[in-house]
Amino acid sequence: MRSVPAPVGAASAMLLVGTSTAVSATIADYPVLTGQALRYALAAAILLAVVRHQRLPRVRLTPRDILLLAALAATGLAGFNLFLVEATRHAGPAMIATVVGAVPLVLALVGPLAERRRPAARTVGAATVVALGAAVAAGLGSGSPTGLLLSLGALAGEVAFSLLAVPLLPRLGPLRVAAYPAALSVPLLLAAGLALDGTASLRAPTLGEGAAFVYLGAIVTAAAFFLWYDALRRLGADRAGLFAGLVPIGALLTTVVLGLGGAGPADVAGALIVAAGVALGLRQPTAPRRALRLVGTADKS
């Protein structure tokens, strides 16, 4: 599968993820966790079919690989959705979106540390700008302390979705890293759905709900996950994390296109701030002046 430029892939992935907000509104009456299980099952089937079609070299999973994949499925997929669902019972969407919008800042700090290198000041500053823009776009909502803690749990799951993938990508590649956790998360989500909603969580979706799940599974999960992990492998967690701030922008654009709402001043301001932060983070640092002076001296000698 031919790769697109890493920044384009990362931006496309996060914009696609943002579209899930509007699409999810059409399946609000369906059991949430069971719906996520259906979405990930479809995505895993698509991704595994692509792996087979591409005839990629066989890779033997090590115990470390299996542990990381299981942890990624449990935290970045199943855990993230469980925390998100429970957070909505104790906090408004705006507060949850604001907390989860801190993903770029966390990745800018923790990503380099996980790779045993120092966070770049430019990237940390850019991530702060992106997180601020996401907060402005989402609006500072209100909620209980329980809602805040659950939102932080969702934030941790979102961060784990990227950080746990980093050591897997060199050996397994983005297709397998996207496919395997999606498949592993299905039984976890089904079990959580049964625990929370009982057998009512197992009802069949309607035709409209089924169409929404096809979009979420094929586009928002299979395509976006591959694009994200491919970009993550090439950009690193800190720089790729900047694009997570585009999720609210994708949600806003989809809402406007589908006629579900309009764009207010805060939405536009947040989008501009996010764009500025991403541009700042992707700028290549200029060479130090001292180094330039030494080059000039060498040329004259």
Side-chain angles (χ1 to χ4, degrees):
M1 183 175 290
R2 185 175 297 176
S3 297
V4 300
V8 174
S12 300
M14 292 298 101
L15 288 172
L16 286 174
V17 170
T19 67
S20 65
T21 303
V23 175
S24 294
T26 66
I27 52 173
D29 295 331
Y30 192 83
V32 177
L33 295 177
T34 304
Q36 295 303 312
L38 292 176
R39 163 191 175 184
Y40 290 133
L42 174 60
I46 293 172
L47 290 165
L48 290 173
V50 174
V51 170
R52 184 174 181 178
H53 177 73
Q54 292 288 313
R55 297 182 179 179
L56 300 177
R58 294 179 65 88
V59 177
R60 185 175 181 178
L61 297 179
T62 66
R64 177 175 177 269
D65 294 335
I66 295 173
L67 181 62
L68 285 172
L69 288 168
L72 177 52
T75 59
L77 299 183
F80 170 77
N81 282 284
L82 185 58
F83 274 114
L84 197 63
V85 169
E86 287 301 304
T88 59
R89 306 178 193 271
H90 303 276
M95 185 186 120
I96 298 170
T98 300
V99 173
V100 178
V103 166
L105 181 57
V106 177
L107 287 177
L109 293 171
V110 180
L113 294 177
E115 299 173 4
R116 297 181 180 180
R117 58 187 176 88
R118 190 174 180 179
R122 178 190 293 272
T123 306
V124 173
T128 304
V129 174
V130 171
L132 174 63
V136 170
L140 297 175
S142 60
S144 67
T146 301
L148 176 60
L149 290 175
L150 290 168
S151 299
L152 289 172
L155 170 62
E158 187 72 0
V159 171
F161 176 74
S162 294
L163 291 186
L164 290 176
V166 170
L168 291 166
L169 287 168
R171 286 191 70 248
L172 303 184
L175 277 172
R176 289 191 177 96
V177 174
Y180 294 166
L184 290 171
S185 70
V186 173
L188 298 176
L189 288 164
L190 288 175
L194 283 170
L196 290 176
D197 302 318
T199 55
S201 66
L202 299 179
R203 77 168 176 86
T206 65
L207 186 61
E209 290 170 339
F213 286 129
V214 168
Y215 175 80
L216 291 172
I219 305 301
V220 178
T221 306
F225 280 21
F226 167 74
L227 289 171
W228 177 250
Y229 283 141
D230 183 55
L232 182 67
R233 175 181 59 174
R234 291 186 284 164
L235 291 175
D238 48 352
R239 297 183 73 205
L242 296 172
F243 292 91
L246 295 177
V247 171
I249 312 306
L252 170 64
L253 292 175
T254 309
T255 300
V256 173
V257 169
L258 295 180
L260 300 176
D267 299 314
V268 176
L272 293 175
I273 294 172
V274 167
V278 171
L280 174 63
L282 293 178
R283 283 182 57 193
Q284 295 294 331
T286 56
R289 291 184 179 180
R290 181 175 181 272
L292 292 176
R293 284 200 302 268
L294 289 175
V295 171
T297 303
D299 290 341
K300 294 177 182 178
S301 60

